[in-house]
């Protein structure tokens, strides 16, 4: 399978604990996105990488959240001191943009998500 | 800023009936538009996309959508519903974010399609 993979698929944690999720994008994709999806809503953008550079963070991404993409391949999303409001599905997507052109049609391919439940 | 409105959080049709899921968008610049489908506990799968070429777009699984600029709409249709079409459907709009080059995806809140036997 050469699609986007995410691990773990499910995570249950207690309030106050730290959690880390991993995303492995499609291998040749240079852009990687994190989204959060709460029940009954569409995904909301969290952050975006072009290769290893984190170019943008949404206002939804509080200082308890940190994301990395150290070698421009896989990415991790860490949530520190989790709160019940962090319970959601965390989706990763990747895309390929040739030559870094803005405006190119970078179709995003989504992973299956990590469902986080904070007790 | 761009936004998407999906009319009807739940739509129920009979098997074999026409499927119509409504999407209206708001964007200050020409948008790209997408429909994604999500099955329970799965990620999103692209059904079809409009990228400023033909206004009638055909996608996978017999779905199609028509971009109507005058109505700012991008409704999703399928002539004959199948039981396997039962899922959550999301409309999304995409515009270029100038400073980072990111083509931001803004999603609607989704429409759950039920197909009755």
């Amino acid at each position: 399978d050469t699609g986007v993979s995410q691990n773990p698929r499910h995570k249950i944690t207690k309030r106050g604990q730290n959690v880390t999720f991993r995303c492995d994008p499609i291998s040749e994709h240079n852009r990687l996105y994190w989204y959060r999806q709460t029940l009954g809503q569409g995904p909301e953008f969290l952050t975006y990488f072009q290769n290893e550079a984190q170019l943008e963070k949404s206002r939804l991404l509080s200082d308890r959240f940190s994301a990395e993409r150290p070698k421009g391949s896989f990415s991790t999303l860490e949530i520190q001191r989790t709160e019940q409001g962090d319970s959601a599905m965390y989706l990763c997507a990747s895309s390929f943009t040739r030559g870094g052109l803005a405006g190119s049609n970078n179709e995003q391919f989504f992973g299956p998500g990590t469902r986080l439940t904070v007790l | 800023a761009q936004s998407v409105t999906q009319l009807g959080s739940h739509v129920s049709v009979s098997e074999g009936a026409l499927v119509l899921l409504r999407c209206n968008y708001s964007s200050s610049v020409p948008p790209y538009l997408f429909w994604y489908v999500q099955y329970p506990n799965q990620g999103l799968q692209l059904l079809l996309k409009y990228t400023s070429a033909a206004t009638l777009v055909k996608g996978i699984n017999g779905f199609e959508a028509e971009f109507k600029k005058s109505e700012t709409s991008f409704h999703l249709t399928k002539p004959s519903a199948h039981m396997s079409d039962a899922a959550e459907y999301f409309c999304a709009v995409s515009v270029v974010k100038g400073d980072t080059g990111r083509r931001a995806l803004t999603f609607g809140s989704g429409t759950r399609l039920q197909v009755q036997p």
Side-chain angles (χ1 to χ4, degrees):
Chain A
D1 190 326
T2 57
V4 179
S5 62
Q6 293 186 246
N7 288 287
R9 294 291 308 276
H10 303 272
K11 178 70 177 178
I12 299 174
T13 191
K14 293 182 179 179
R15 186 164 49 103
Q17 298 295 304
N18 299 344
V19 294
T20 300
F21 311 140
R22 176 177 170 129
C23 171
D24 287 89
I26 293 172
S27 59
E28 66 268 23
H29 283 186
N30 53 3
R31 291 187 171 181
L32 187 146
Y33 308 78
W34 285 98
Y35 293 84
R36 181 174 69 186
Q37 184 179 19
T38 53
L39 203 60
Q41 299 297 317
E44 296 172 292
F45 168 76
L46 291 179
T47 190
Y48 150 66
F49 290 84
Q50 170 118 351
N51 300 312
E52 67 277 4
Q54 187 175 19
L55 295 187
E56 188 179 347
K57 294 192 288 186
S58 159
R59 280 173 289 182
L60 292 176
L61 213 66
S62 75
D63 55 6
R64 296 184 297 105
F65 287 70
S66 62
E68 294 181 343
R69 195 183 183 198
K71 298 180 180 178
S73 56
F74 73 92
S75 175
T76 57
L77 177 68
E78 180 183 15
I79 308 175
Q80 296 181 324
R81 306 181 302 281
T82 52
E83 301 173 356
Q84 287 183 324
D86 297 332
S87 296
M89 174 81 89
Y90 289 85
L91 294 166
C92 176
S94 69
S95 69
F96 175 73
T97 300
R98 188 174 295 108
L101 292 172
S104 57
N105 177 19
N106 57 336
E107 176 182 332
Q108 294 181 28
F109 294 81
F110 283 81
T114 294
R115 182 170 295 284
L116 172 66
T117 302
V118 181
L119 302 176
Chain B
Q2 65 277 10
S3 66
V4 173
T5 302
Q6 291 185 240
L7 298 175
S9 59
H10 289 82
V11 170
S12 182
V13 300
S14 299
E15 191 173 19
L18 171 72
V19 175
L20 171 61
L21 305 182
R22 299 178 186 274
C23 172
N24 288 88
Y25 70 92
S26 171
S27 174
S28 57
V29 298
Y32 287 0
L33 293 159
F34 303 79
W35 275 99
Y36 285 85
V37 61
Q38 186 176 36
Y39 297 98
N41 297 313
Q42 299 291 321
L44 282 74
Q45 181 184 6
L46 182 68
L47 276 178
L48 50 79
K49 59 186 177 185
Y50 165 75
T51 58
S52 73
T55 56
L56 181 62
V57 181
K58 293 186 185 298
I60 62 171
N61 302 339
F63 285 94
E64 63 181 38
E66 186 172 8
F67 172 69
K68 292 187 177 180
K69 184 178 178 180
S70 61
E71 300 178 6
T72 60
S73 69
F74 190 58
H75 302 330
L76 182 70
T77 61
K78 182 174 181 178
S80 176
H82 191 272
M83 296 296 289
S84 61
D85 294 327
E88 188 95 20
Y89 291 80
F90 293 95
C91 182
V93 63
S94 169
V95 297
V96 176
K97 195 173 187 301
D99 52 348
T100 67
R102 171 174 69 89
R103 189 166 265 283
L105 271 178
T106 300
F107 288 86
S109 56
T111 297
R112 181 167 298 279
L113 176 66
Q114 292 181 315
V115 182
Q116 308 291 342

